[in-house]
Amino acid sequence: MAEARIIDGKAFAATLRGRIAGAVQRLRTEKGLVPGLAVVIVGENPASQIYVKNKGEQSREAGFHSVTHRLAEATTQDDLLRLVAQLNADPAIHGILVQLPLPPQIDAMAVLAAIDPDKDVDGFHVVNAGRLAVGLPALVPCTPLGCLMLLKDALGDLRGREAVVVGRSNIVGKPVAQLLLQADCTVTIAHSRTADLQAVCRRADILVAAVGRPEMVRGSWIKPGATVIDVGINRVPARDPALAAQGKSRVVGDVAFEEARMVAGAITPVPGGVGPMTIACLLLNTLTAACRGAGVPVPDEVGA
Ligand code: NDP
């Protein structure tokens, strides 16, 4: 069997960001509308610092009004809630993202619940989870939205396909499953208590792995010709033992890529698959929120 087609999320995300930038330019000229994104980070988590920097840079490149609020590790929940209230009331801000994780003195659920659902561009507010579940227009979590865009691009119509999502978190597994259901797939959600996970995975025409366990899904778990979306981002020691001994690492997905590519029909690599779609979809959600807020249609060219 031929090797799987590689689904190039990096290229897709770059094209999407370009389309968003074009739409933003047109909205600014024709409607005087500039989408505004506020990103809030509390503390010094190194991974979060990188994510927030990238979000700021990519939103500015797309022509957004972009602000980053950097708060001290010791920030109280009340202080953070005051900032969220201020951003909720700010007409220049259409999207608010509070970077997770938050320090232990802050209840993340309370903060997410305080964000205006119409500005909740991470799509984590229960109102948006509910809207997605009942099929109302929602702001959809960015990584799941990215997965669906890649799948629709790779496969076209998803109707009637057997989809298995491994993982049931609120930020990836469950919303991916909701989106697949909306796309008329027959959806199974697997998790750590699933019996005979390998057999369940082997049923899938579309297999989405969102587990957080390096290379857990083996080639033998994949139905020949299936489309595999690997959401996992796992840091493991470098392949070269000398480099590993120096503490060097590499990033792998939840799928054993080299085995899987010999069986699957198409597969996302890690890195360069789902990962780059997350920020592109954050920009898309901010554009969507800005358009909805202003009562103008979301421009067709962004493919929302
Ligand atoms: P969580 O830890 O919140 O959820 C993991 C899920 O996997 C749980 O539902 C858990 O089941 C399930 N699981 C764990 N072990 C097994 C197992 N042995 N067999 C079957 N299921 C198992 O992780 P997230 O959903 O937040 O993230 C998943 C992965 O995606 C991570 O690698 C993360 O880094 C990555 N990620 C990537 C993003 C991106 O590309 N931008 C964004 C977000 C996440 P149970 O519920 O039973 O415990």
Side-chain angles (χ1 to χ4, degrees):
M1 187 161 190
E3 271 186 30
R5 184 160 67 83
I6 305 302
I7 299 174
D8 187 346
K10 195 172 170 195
F12 191 97
T15 304
L16 177 57
R17 289 200 306 274
R19 291 204 304 258
I20 292 170
V24 168
Q25 199 174 26
R26 206 159 48 72
L27 281 172
R28 183 194 292 260
T29 319
E30 292 175 10
K31 313 270 182 202
L33 178 62
V34 180
L37 172 65
V39 178
V40 181
I41 178 167
V42 185
E44 300 296 329
N45 181 309
S48 296
Q49 295 283 347
I50 294 170
Y51 293 142
V52 165
K53 181 168 161 280
N54 291 341
K55 285 167 187 171
E57 279 173 9
Q58 292 187 22
S59 59
R60 275 187 294 278
E61 272 166 28
F64 287 40
H65 166 57
S66 168
V67 285
T68 303
H69 293 267
R70 296 176 188 280
L71 307 185
E73 182 80 33
T75 300
T76 65
Q77 182 163 319
D78 282 350
D79 284 342
L80 182 52
L81 288 174
R82 255 190 297 280
L83 174 59
V84 168
Q86 195 185 309
L87 295 170
N88 281 342
D90 185 343
I93 296 298
H94 306 97
I96 303 168
L97 182 147
V98 178
Q99 184 67 46
L100 301 177
L102 290 167
Q105 73 275 14
I106 298 175
D107 174 0
M109 290 308 284
V111 174
L112 296 181
I115 296 172
D116 177 346
D118 294 334
K119 295 189 177 188
D120 166 42
V121 283
D122 245 345
F124 294 163
H125 195 291
V126 289
V127 166
N128 279 313
R131 285 175 181 161
L132 177 61
V134 299
L136 288 172
L139 288 166
V140 175
C142 303
T143 303
L145 184 56
C147 292
L148 258 287
M149 291 184 99
L150 291 179
L151 277 168
K152 285 186 175 162
D153 185 60
L155 295 173
D157 194 352
L158 305 184
R159 198 179 320 170
R161 297 186 197 245
E162 190 85 41
V164 173
V165 181
V166 191
R168 56 174 163 180
S169 72
N170 290 331
I171 64 169
V172 190
K174 281 182 202 154
V176 166
Q178 293 285 3
L179 290 169
L180 288 164
L181 192 58
Q182 260 182 22
D184 293 329
C185 292
T186 303
V187 183
T188 302
I189 306 177
H191 46 78
S192 67
R193 302 283 182 269
T194 295
D196 203 353
L197 180 61
Q198 303 184 25
V200 172
C201 290
R202 262 194 301 272
R203 292 207 305 258
D205 302 316
I206 294 170
L207 180 61
V208 181
V211 184
R213 294 192 180 269
E215 301 180 326
M216 184 186 84
V217 176
R218 312 306 309 189
S220 60
W221 300 22
I222 294 167
K223 177 175 171 178
T227 301
V228 178
I229 302 290
D230 188 352
V231 185
I233 300 177
N234 308 289
R235 206 158 267 287
V236 297
R239 227 184 276 275
D240 179 341
L243 292 176
Q246 293 167 24
K248 299 271 189 256
S249 61
R250 65 195 168 103
V251 171
V252 299
D254 291 339
V255 177
F257 181 78
E258 291 304 330
E259 291 176 16
R261 72 189 302 196
M262 306 312 289
V263 188
I267 186 168
T268 58
V270 177
V274 173
M277 290 300 290
T278 299
I279 299 183
C281 287
L282 171 68
L283 304 185
L284 180 57
N285 276 350
T286 306
L287 175 64
T288 302
C291 290
R292 284 183 188 154
V296 302
V298 181
D300 286 338
E301 71 255 37
V302 297

